[in-house]
Amino acid sequence: MRTAVLALALALLAGCGGASGAAPGAALSPSYAASLGSTSASMPSMLPAPALPSRASVQADLVVRPDVLVLGFALQETDADPQRALTAAQAAVENLERQFKEATGGASTVKMLGASFSTVFTDKAESDGDAVSAAVDGVIEVRLAPELDFWARSRLAAAVAQVRREVSAAVQAAKDGRRGATFGQLRAEVKEPEGHRAQLTEQWLRRARSFAEAAQAASAPLLLVDCAPPGAIEQRPISLLEVGLSLSVACRLNALSAEPKRD
């Protein structure tokens, strides 16, 4: 009897294993399998993966830490009276300055650069006449303290991006075409690159002397001749933590032949 019961139990176990076609413990429970299927089917469309930026190597004489984020902007206001248009543009700039100060914790300043006026031709049958657009441009500068790390600097960049978005959305919401706002690319810079001129000059001189010593002959030492005054310091952005500075110096290395002794 015990043998028959054992045989029946083995047969039932074998039948279950053959029906599943899987090793014991490998089958998923119906509810878990159903949940996986429903999750996969209802997965929303995803944004494309971020592209890896192309970061070419930057040729620079000196690499330093940037101390300011710079964002160019232009605002435009339109009115039948040029003075009223300019007053409206001034108010728009003041509001922009307030938004950036609030977003950056008081680290931003506005530097105005220029103003221009252009006539906007309208349908005189439906208006009082042609209007004038006043366009003003400048830069927003956000101070970067030396101790700020990558993430702290990135948060300031994100705050700048949010203000740009809000201002652009407000202009689009107006829908009357009388206002305009344009922003450039945010960039990290050194606010006063001239403060590094002495270091750049000394570094260039050390390199030139080192090359002259390696290339010259004992009887004809190489000397720097025909040197033009160095130009402006060039900046090349590398990252939120690095800016490359270069100083262009135009000089010639010439051999000084030994003069014959005179009696």
Side-chain angles (χ1 to χ4, degrees), residues 150-193:
F150 171 81
W151 296 110
R153 291 166 183 248
S154 295
R155 289 187 184 94
L156 284 174
V160 170
Q162 180 61 25
V163 174
R164 290 175 54 181
R165 179 181 178 182
E166 293 173 355
V167 172
S168 298
V171 169
Q172 293 177 0
K175 296 182 179 179
D176 57 4
R178 302 176 71 86
R179 302 182 63 196
T182 302
F183 295 95
Q185 292 293 326
L186 186 67
R187 60 189 188 275
E189 292 186 353
V190 176
K191 185 174 177 63
E192 298 293 343

Side-chain angles (χ1 to χ4, degrees), residues 62 64-68 70 111 141 189-198 200 233 235 245:
L62 181 66
V64 298
R65 203 172 183 86
D67 55 15
V68 65
V70 180
K111 178 181 178 181
E141 296 181 346
E189 292 186 353
V190 176
K191 185 174 177 63
E192 298 293 343
E194 287 297 322
H196 299 277
R197 181 174 289 274
L200 284 166
I233 297 174
Q235 297 195 45
L245 301 180

Side-chain angles (χ1 to χ4, degrees), residues 5-261:
V5 173
L6 181 58
L8 179 60
L10 290 174
L12 291 173
L13 288 173
C16 291
S20 66
L28 298 174
S29 67
S31 61
Y32 185 57
S35 67
L36 287 179
S38 63
T39 302
S40 177
S42 62
M43 184 71 70
S45 59
M46 303 297 289
L47 293 173
L52 187 64
S54 176
R55 299 190 186 279
S57 60
V58 174
Q59 298 296 324
D61 299 329
L62 181 66
V63 176
V64 298
R65 203 172 183 86
D67 55 15
V68 65
L69 292 175
V70 180
L71 176 70
F73 72 91
L75 300 180
Q76 178 178 286
E77 296 287 342
T78 305
D79 195 279
D81 184 348
Q83 293 293 342
R84 288 201 301 265
L86 183 61
T87 300
Q90 180 181 1
V93 170
E94 291 172 351
N95 185 56
L96 183 71
E97 184 175 15
R98 176 188 58 78
Q99 289 178 273
F100 273 109
K101 279 187 177 297
E102 292 176 355
T104 62
S108 66
T109 57
V110 173
K111 178 181 178 181
M112 299 307 300
L113 297 177
S116 61
F117 302 87
S118 59
T119 302
V120 179
F121 297 99
T122 59
D123 186 354
K124 294 185 179 181
E126 300 179 358
S127 66
D128 296 332
D130 297 334
V132 174
S133 285
V136 294
D137 65 278
V139 293
I140 301 289
E141 296 181 346
V142 181
R143 295 185 303 278
L144 297 174
E147 66 273 11
L148 293 182
D149 63 6
F150 171 81
W151 296 110
R153 291 166 183 248
S154 295
R155 289 187 184 94
L156 284 174
V160 170
Q162 180 61 25
V163 174
R164 290 175 54 181
R165 179 181 178 182
E166 293 173 355
V167 172
S168 298
V171 169
Q172 293 177 0
K175 296 182 179 179
D176 57 4
R178 302 176 71 86
R179 302 182 63 196
T182 302
F183 295 95
Q185 292 293 326
L186 186 67
R187 60 189 188 275
E189 292 186 353
V190 176
K191 185 174 177 63
E192 298 293 343
E194 287 297 322
H196 299 277
R197 181 174 289 274
Q199 186 178 357
L200 284 166
T201 302
E202 179 60 29
Q203 184 169 290
W204 185 90
L205 286 172
R206 287 199 305 266
R207 291 174 179 172
R209 289 167 180 163
S210 177
F211 174 79
E213 291 173 359
Q216 70 187 359
S219 59
L222 294 176
L223 299 176
L224 292 173
V225 296
D226 298 333
C227 290
I233 297 174
E234 297 181 0
Q235 297 195 45
R236 295 181 178 88
I238 300 175
S239 69
L240 287 173
L241 297 174
E242 292 182 328
V243 170
L245 301 180
S246 296
L247 180 63
S248 178
V249 181
C251 288
R252 274 194 316 113
L253 282 172
N254 198 10
L256 182 63
S257 300
E259 295 183 359
K261 294 182 179 181

